[in-house]
Every structure is written in structure tokens, then in C-alpha cells.
Amino acid sequence: MIDPIIFTIPGTNISIHWYGVLMAVGVFAAGWVTAVGVQRRGEDPDYVWDGLIWAIPAGIIGARLWYCANVTLGGSSYYLDNLLRVVRVWEGGLHFYGAVLFGGLAAFLYFRVNHLDFRLLLDSVAPALLIGQAVVRPANLINQELYGPPTDLPWGIPIEAAHRIQPWTDLVRYPVETTRFHPTFAYEMIWNFAAAALLIWAARRLTRKLKPGALFAGWLVLEGVGRFWLEWFRPDQPRLAGTAISYSRIVATVMAIAGGIWLLVKYEVIHLPFLSPGPSEYAIRSSEGAESEAQAEA
């Protein structure tokens, strides 16, 4: 197997991990895809890169807090016994949903301060989130994590004894040499790339039919449905006490339903008193600025 550590700086305890490198690549890829989407919709893409200065730190904090809360809700007192463990991000433990929530809140504040249309960002970032998440997934293979139950399928992967979780730590029943496991991370990677391709196709082919916010609503549906299905292959996820339902599956269900309702309201299939369809076009600040400059020069 590939060593999770690429190299360690001589004379120090500082190591460069594949997970960290792929995460940086994933963030850059997501940023680039978002910037392209923002530019295609008529806004200045520099806002994306400037906004990342806000979103990345917030996303890391959110990813860590969500992970720790998820583990705690699952019945573990690991972080409650010593709250300093929460800040030890280098020990591992980040959750994608926390990164999206906190990073999204930071991006919302940045766009609000700069008087930008946040719906434009949401639609631009929708496929980017899927692509960025998919880019990081090979690190799970290197780290021997995010695998599913044993399988006889030809694409099953071996998991070393040190990385096994119950009940597959029994090496008599599940020998290292012959037991293979579902590569759940690969399933998610494939789903994410396919969903991103669908959203990009829709953005390019259905430009006139898509209303502001519709593409992001589509992401909510696709991400929710995909994660709901993938949870069948995630025995490591904390579950609601006394049930086989993971907390991530609950969140995924809420996301899919919310996205579906958002789309129905957006296209006025249904009408809700507390939710407006919203405008049919983006508010572009860059064009307004260009018009103001042109008028000033005239």
C-alpha cells in the first residue's frame, strides 16, 4: 500500500500527507470551477479567489466541529473527556457537511459585504463542490478508510488489520489475504463526478430555463440522494441511538427534500407563503460598475 506520508522534513516532526495535498488540490479545483461559473454568469471571478480567504478557514473549523459533534452524538465521549482534542485537526477527523455549512456562511458574509448576488455563487459552486470532494477521495484508499462491508465483487479492496473496524477485526473469519471490502470512497467519487457532469451539462444546455438558485437546488438533491445511498456502505458512521440510521443519512434526507421543494417553488409548481420563487435573473455587480464608469467618462 502507499504510505500516507509523502515525506517528513528532516530534523522536524512536520510531515506532508497525501490527504492534505489532495485536499489542497480539491480546494483549488473547486475554486477554479466556481470562478469559471461566476465568469460565465457575467460576474468578476476575482471575487471567488478573494472569498476563499474567508471560506477556507471557516470551512476547516466547521468540518472539524461537525466531525466531533457527529462522533459525540454517536455515543463516544472521546472529545468530551478532553476538549483540547477538538483542536487537534492533525490527528484526523473532518466532515464535508461542516465544511460546506461554515464555509458557505463565510462566503455569504463576504458576498453580502461586497453587495454581490449570493445565488450566482451558489449556482457556480454547485458542481465545484462535487468535483472538489471527488478529488480528495483517493486519499481514503491511501489511508485505508471509508470502506464498506466485505464483498466478493471483483473491485473489492484489501484492508490491513490495523485499519479494520468491528466486526472485521476477527482475522480468522476475515483473513487479510482473502477478504475484500467495498471501496465506498470510490462509489462516492464516481457519483460526484457524474453528478457534477450533469449539473455542468444543465448549466450549459439549459441556460435560459435555469432560474437563479436552481442549479444549487439540484446539487442539494443529488448530494442528498447520493449520500443517502452511500450510507448503506458506511458502517463507520455514528448512528441514531437504537437504530440503523446514521446522522449523515438524516442530513442527506433533509438536503434532498429541501432541494426538491426549492425547485418546485422556484418554478412555481407549488406555492408556499414563507418561500418566494425569487427573481428570474442574477444581479450582476460587475456590469453595474462598468455602466457607471462608462456614464462617468461620458
Side-chain angles (χ1 to χ4, degrees), residues 124-144:
S124 301
V125 82
L129 289 172
L130 293 161
I131 292 172
Q133 190 179 11
V135 168
V136 182
R137 286 297 166 232
N140 300 133
L141 173 62
I142 297 172
N143 289 350
Q144 296 267 283

Side-chain angles (χ1 to χ4, degrees), residues 23-243:
M23 183 174 292
V25 173
V27 169
F28 176 80
W32 181 79
V33 172
T34 303
V36 170
V38 166
Q39 188 171 32
R40 285 190 69 252
R41 290 171 174 83
E43 192 56 270
D44 186 350
D46 286 344
Y47 286 122
V48 174
W49 302 112
D50 293 342
L52 283 176
I53 298 175
W54 293 43
I56 290 176
I60 293 174
I61 293 171
R64 182 59 173 174
L65 291 178
W66 191 296
Y67 174 84
C68 295
N70 199 37
V71 170
T72 302
L73 287 171
S76 172
S77 61
Y78 180 78
Y79 295 105
L80 293 178
D81 292 341
N82 185 352
L83 291 178
L84 288 177
R85 291 170 176 164
V86 174
V87 301
R88 297 174 185 171
V89 181
W90 56 88
E91 293 181 354
L94 300 173
H95 201 290
F96 176 69
Y97 287 164
V100 172
L101 178 60
F102 278 63
L105 288 174
F108 172 76
L109 291 174
Y110 172 79
F111 267 57
R112 187 69 177 269
V113 167
N114 287 277
H115 307 289
L116 299 166
D117 191 338
F118 189 59
R119 290 161 304 183
L120 187 147
L121 175 66
L122 290 177
D123 287 340
S124 301
V125 82
L129 289 172
L130 293 161
I131 292 172
Q133 190 179 11
V135 168
V136 182
R137 286 297 166 232
N140 300 133
L141 173 62
I142 297 172
N143 289 350
Q144 296 267 283
E145 60 189 6
L146 300 191
Y147 55 88
T151 179
D152 293 326
L153 293 171
W155 54 79
I157 59 170
I159 298 295
E160 298 172 356
H163 299 284
R164 297 279 188 90
I165 60 176
Q166 294 287 354
W168 305 307
T169 51
D170 185 343
L171 302 185
V172 176
R173 293 182 59 192
Y174 305 101
V176 173
E177 296 78 14
T178 58
T179 306
R180 296 294 182 267
F181 297 83
H182 280 285
T184 307
F185 58 86
Y187 299 160
E188 184 170 10
M189 182 172 66
I190 293 170
W191 174 269
N192 285 352
F193 276 132
L198 177 60
L199 291 180
I200 291 173
W201 174 86
R204 292 178 177 275
R205 297 296 297 273
L206 306 175
T207 303
R208 295 182 178 179
K209 296 182 179 180
L210 287 175
K211 296 183 178 181
L215 210 66
F216 185 77
W219 172 79
L220 285 171
V221 173
L222 292 170
E223 173 66 28
V225 170
R227 190 56 181 263
F228 183 91
W229 170 68
L230 286 166
E231 286 298 301
W232 290 110
F233 302 94
R234 291 290 303 274
D236 60 319
Q237 289 295 287
R239 283 163 163 69
L240 194 63
T243 74

Side-chain angles (χ1 to χ4, degrees), residues 234-284:
R234 291 290 303 274
D236 60 319
Q237 289 295 287
R239 283 163 163 69
L240 194 63
T243 74
I245 303 173
S246 68
Y247 290 99
S248 293
R249 174 168 285 179
I250 295 173
V251 174
T253 301
V254 172
M255 289 174 63
I257 294 174
I261 293 174
W262 190 348
L263 283 172
L264 293 175
V265 171
K266 178 67 64 176
Y267 288 93
E268 301 184 63
V269 177
I270 62 174
H271 300 274
L272 299 176
F274 55 86
L275 192 59
S276 169
S280 57
E281 294 183 356
Y282 300 113
I284 309 299

